[in-house]
């Protein structure tokens, strides 16, 4: 029942995740954060089996931070997505593969551009202008196809996200307890009051 959305804009990336943590038909928490900050300018949103998601996200976060400490160099969002894809692909060949779908958004401080990568549990990695996992993909993809433009600024991106939320609230039979929205830009990662 998770909602994971990402929109790449001209100057930032917007990542939105549902606040509800569910198990079956029960809502366990109404303030869950399904994201992990991987570096100063990159963020990972995840969905999937509850144990796998947290364990995998913390594993990726720890390895990215370890690389940053050892090399004194922040990995680009593309490099982080490549590392994450490699870890998902390796786990697929193990006895207990991770059942995790991921969005990685970030701002490349060297190239001065935004990045949004869509990864699934099979190790597929693709860079997209907008992406969704979970039930959000069923209801918002056509809306994003229709209204997305490459030159959107932050305010216009948040308005597009509001259209997506309205569609989700109308169509989804479950209350996902609202969205936690984070923006990644040149200044880093910040939470937006949405």
């Amino acid at each position: 029942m998770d909602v994971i959305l990402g929109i790449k804009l001209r100057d930032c990336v917007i990542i939105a995740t549902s606040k509800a943590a569910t198990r079956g038909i029960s809502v366990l928490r109404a303030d869950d954060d399904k994201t992990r900050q991987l570096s100063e300018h990159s963020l990972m949103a995840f969905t999937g089996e509850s144990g796998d998601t947290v364990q995998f996200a913390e594993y990726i976060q720890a390895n990215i931070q370890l690389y940053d400490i050892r090399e004194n160099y922040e990995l680009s969002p593309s490099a982080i997505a490549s590392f994450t894809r490699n870890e998902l692909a390796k786990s697929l060949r193990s006895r207990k593969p991770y059942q995790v779908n991921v969005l990685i958004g970030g701002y490349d401080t060297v190239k001065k551009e935004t990045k949004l990568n869509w990864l699934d549990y099979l190790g597929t990695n693709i860079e997209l202008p907008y992406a969704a996992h979970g039930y959000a993909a069923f209801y918002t993809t056509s809306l994003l196809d229709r209204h997305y433009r490459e030159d959107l600024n932050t305010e216009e991106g948040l308005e597009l996200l509001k259209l997506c939320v309205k569609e989700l609230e109308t169509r989804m039979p479950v209350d996902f307890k609202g969205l936690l929205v984070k923006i990644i830009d040149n200044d880093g990662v910040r939470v937006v009051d949405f």
Side-chain angles (χ1 to χ4, degrees):
M1 299 297 175
D2 293 338
V3 172
I4 308 290
L5 284 168
I7 305 172
K8 182 175 89 167
L9 306 173
R10 182 178 57 213
D11 53 352
C12 70
V13 176
I14 299 173
I15 301 280
T17 62
S18 56
K19 292 182 183 178
T22 59
R23 178 82 175 160
I25 60 170
S26 300
V27 175
L28 304 176
R29 291 181 60 188
D31 61 348
D32 192 32
D33 185 359
K34 296 173 186 68
T35 63
R36 291 288 184 275
Q37 185 170 346
L38 303 177
S39 68
E40 189 177 340
H41 296 96
S42 62
L43 183 77
M44 177 170 72
F46 49 86
T47 183
E49 292 296 320
S50 57
D52 286 356
T53 55
V54 174
Q55 183 180 6
F56 182 74
E58 288 175 354
Y59 172 75
I60 296 297
Q61 182 182 34
N63 276 282
I64 298 301
Q65 290 173 352
L66 178 63
Y67 182 89
D68 191 21
I69 291 167
R70 281 185 176 167
E71 305 297 328
N72 196 25
Y73 178 77
E74 182 180 325
L75 287 172
S76 70
S78 297
I80 290 171
S82 180
F83 172 75
T84 306
R85 190 219 74 80
N86 191 35
E87 292 302 315
L88 282 168
K90 277 197 298 190
S91 89
L92 223 105
R93 290 156 186 85
S94 71
R95 290 184 179 260
K96 295 191 178 182
Y98 290 112
Q99 296 294 314
V100 181
N101 296 311
V102 175
L103 291 182
I104 295 178
Y107 185 84
D108 191 331
T109 55
V110 175
K111 295 181 179 177
K112 304 292 185 207
E113 62 185 8
T114 57
K115 298 281 185 181
L116 177 65
N117 288 75
W118 181 95
L119 293 89
D120 69 0
Y121 71 100
L122 296 171
T124 306
N125 175 16
I126 186 164
E127 187 178 333
L128 296 171
Y130 51 86
H133 276 300
Y135 286 103
F138 295 121
Y139 299 117
T140 61
T141 305
S142 62
L143 193 64
L144 290 166
D145 283 342
R146 171 84 170 100
H147 296 287
Y148 180 81
R149 294 185 334 266
E150 287 183 13
D151 64 337
L152 290 174
N153 62 29
T154 306
E155 292 77 26
E156 292 169 330
L158 290 171
E159 287 300 317
L160 180 54
L161 184 61
K162 285 179 184 174
L163 284 174
C164 292
V165 170
K166 183 178 176 191
E167 187 70 18
L168 289 170
E169 289 172 344
T170 303
R171 303 276 181 211
M172 281 186 65
V174 205
D175 181 14
F176 52 88
K177 304 296 180 192
L179 294 178
L180 176 65
V181 179
K182 295 185 179 183
I183 290 181
I184 309 102
D185 58 14
N186 191 33
D187 299 326
V189 178
R190 68 181 189 275
V191 178
V192 176
D193 186 26
F194 189 70

